Amino acid sequence: IKVYSTMKAAEAANLIAAIDQDLALRIISGMKSKIAGQVLSQLDVKVAKTISEKLAGKTIDSKKQP
């Protein structure tokens, strides 16, 4: 995660777009919010949408659990 966080947003987005979406989700969720937003903004809209929805679902699910 640290490696992707230190890359330029466009470079990180290119690599994230090429890997498995579950792995991409884990990488982006481990980034600081500002960096994750920059990377998501560089991704293809469909890829960013899918990852964003999974991130939101993950956050909602974790809040529902006791």
Side-chain angles (χ1 to χ4, degrees):
I1 295 170
K2 188 173 182 177
V3 172
Y4 284 88
S5 294
T6 58
M7 292 178 181
K8 292 182 180 178
E11 293 171 351
N14 285 336
L15 290 172
I16 287 172
I19 61 175
D20 176 74
Q21 285 193 354
D22 288 332
L23 179 57
L25 177 65
R26 283 188 272 159
I27 291 169
I28 290 176
S29 66
M31 293 177 167
K32 292 183 180 179
S33 297
K34 182 178 179 180
I35 295 169
Q38 291 171 348
V39 172
L40 284 170
S41 72
Q42 297 291 318
L43 286 170
D44 175 75
V45 174
K46 290 180 182 179
V47 175
K49 178 183 180 285
T50 301
I51 291 173
S52 296
E53 287 172 346
K54 287 183 178 181
L55 282 171
K58 182 179 179 183
T59 302
I60 291 167
D61 289 344
S62 64
K63 287 182 181 177
K64 288 182 180 178
Q65 294 176 355

